[in-house]
Amino acid sequence: MTRLATVTLPSGETAWGTVTEAGFHALSPLFPQYPTLREVVAAGACEEVAKAGDEQPAQSDFTYEIPIPSPEKIICVGVNFPDRNAEYKDGKEAPPKPSLFIRFPRSFTGHNRPLIRPPETPQLDYEGEIAVVIGKGGRRIPEAEALSHIGALTLCNEGTLRDWVRHAKFNVTQGKNWDSSGAMGPWLVPFTDEAQITEADIETRVNGELRQQDNTARMLFPVAFQIAYISTFTTLVPGDIIVSGTPTGAGARFDPPKFLKPGDVVEVTSPGLGILRNTVEDA
């Protein structure tokens, strides 16, 4: 399986390359035409560059960063599984259109790095999801063609400060964008088969306890619809990320709530994409 990651090396240099059982194989020095993985995805070159990793030395000392360091847009889809809609207990049927909100890259950290619980609130929550990286941009993309615009997939923990998402009547922005409150990674996996996103299991565990479990086939708004809908009002460009929705089981939905605390370990997993693992620390 091709796994392309962005890392920081002990020298402080940021590099991208492949990850194998042996470690990290730096490829960015070999491909100066691709400053980041964003340009690799835009060129449709994921598989091509990965082949060069076999001949590069493996490094074991590195720190994961989010795979696409500077996406133009990170668009998140809320309330996208049937049981998530029922969580709200407002008596309403599933909405006819998806709920969307924006996150900033700084609100995510990399694999094996801590999620940061801020001093302003203890209500740090988890949301395991699959993130879609656009490979071919477009505007008003037909739903029937939408999946062909995907370049790669990765995992996301769309960490949320629950009380802050309720500060206002119609938006959740301020609860979704605390620095390093969420995570993305560990790596990009090239998108080669529709089943990678149409029939994918997604699970989240906290300290080994299964909290979330579902399959993307049950999404209220499948990823093809998401791409078509979003591209109606904004131009999607290569490297844009769509965080596609989380199953039921976030900490806020327990009685009493099970918010994250320092020392907790959160793992988001999906077959073929690996495990996104993060600890929790106070700021």
Side-chain angles (χ1 to χ4, degrees), residues 129-142:
E129 311 188 33
I130 295 175
V132 173
V133 181
I134 297 298
K136 181 174 66 174
R139 182 80 191 277
R140 299 182 180 89
I141 299 168

Side-chain angles (χ1 to χ4, degrees), residues 13 48 134 137 143 161 205 207 279:
E13 175 190 4
E48 174 191 345
I134 297 298
E143 186 173 350
L161 282 304
R205 287 176 167 80
N207 302 325
T279 54

Side-chain angles (χ1 to χ4, degrees), residues 158-207:
E158 210 261 295
T160 302
L161 282 304
R162 288 295 173 196
D163 50 348
W164 278 69
V165 299
R166 300 185 180 94
H167 278 190
K169 187 173 183 180
F170 293 123
N171 71 79
V172 298
T173 300
Q174 56 269 58
K176 294 286 189 176
N177 280 287
W178 294 74
D179 289 1
S180 297
S181 57
M184 200 174 291
W187 40 64
L188 298 182
V189 173
F191 182 73
T192 58
D193 183 349
E194 290 188 1
Q196 287 175 275
I197 196 62
T198 60
E199 302 174 20
D201 290 327
I202 179 78
E203 295 182 350
T204 306
R205 287 176 167 80
V206 179
N207 302 325

Side-chain angles (χ1 to χ4, degrees), residues 101-241:
F101 54 92
I102 305 298
R103 284 192 70 140
F104 310 134
R106 191 181 295 273
S107 70
F108 292 108
T109 190
H111 171 64
N112 272 343
R113 300 177 69 173
L115 306 176
I116 302 301
R117 188 177 73 166
E120 290 81 2
T121 171
Q123 294 189 15
L124 176 62
D125 208 347
Y126 54 86
E127 294 187 6
E129 311 188 33
I130 295 175
V132 173
V133 181
I134 297 298
K136 181 174 66 174
R139 182 80 191 277
R140 299 182 180 89
I141 299 168
E143 186 173 350
E145 301 173 11
L147 296 185
S148 69
H149 287 254
I150 300 175
L153 302 174
T154 191
L155 293 169
C156 179
N157 180 353
E158 210 261 295
T160 302
L161 282 304
R162 288 295 173 196
D163 50 348
W164 278 69
V165 299
R166 300 185 180 94
H167 278 190
K169 187 173 183 180
F170 293 123
N171 71 79
V172 298
T173 300
Q174 56 269 58
K176 294 286 189 176
N177 280 287
W178 294 74
D179 289 1
S180 297
S181 57
M184 200 174 291
W187 40 64
L188 298 182
V189 173
F191 182 73
T192 58
D193 183 349
E194 290 188 1
Q196 287 175 275
I197 196 62
T198 60
E199 302 174 20
D201 290 327
I202 179 78
E203 295 182 350
T204 306
R205 287 176 167 80
V206 179
N207 302 325
E209 176 190 359
L210 181 64
R211 297 279 186 88
Q212 295 182 291
Q213 183 178 39
D214 218 315
N215 187 284
T216 56
R218 284 177 19 92
M219 284 181 167
L220 299 175
F221 304 103
V223 167
F225 178 89
Q226 296 174 26
I227 293 171
Y229 180 75
I230 292 168
S231 69
T232 304
F233 66 84
T234 187
T235 299
L236 290 173
V237 300
D240 281 351
I241 297 170

Side-chain angles (χ1 to χ4, degrees), residues 20 215 265:
T20 66
N215 187 284
V265 178

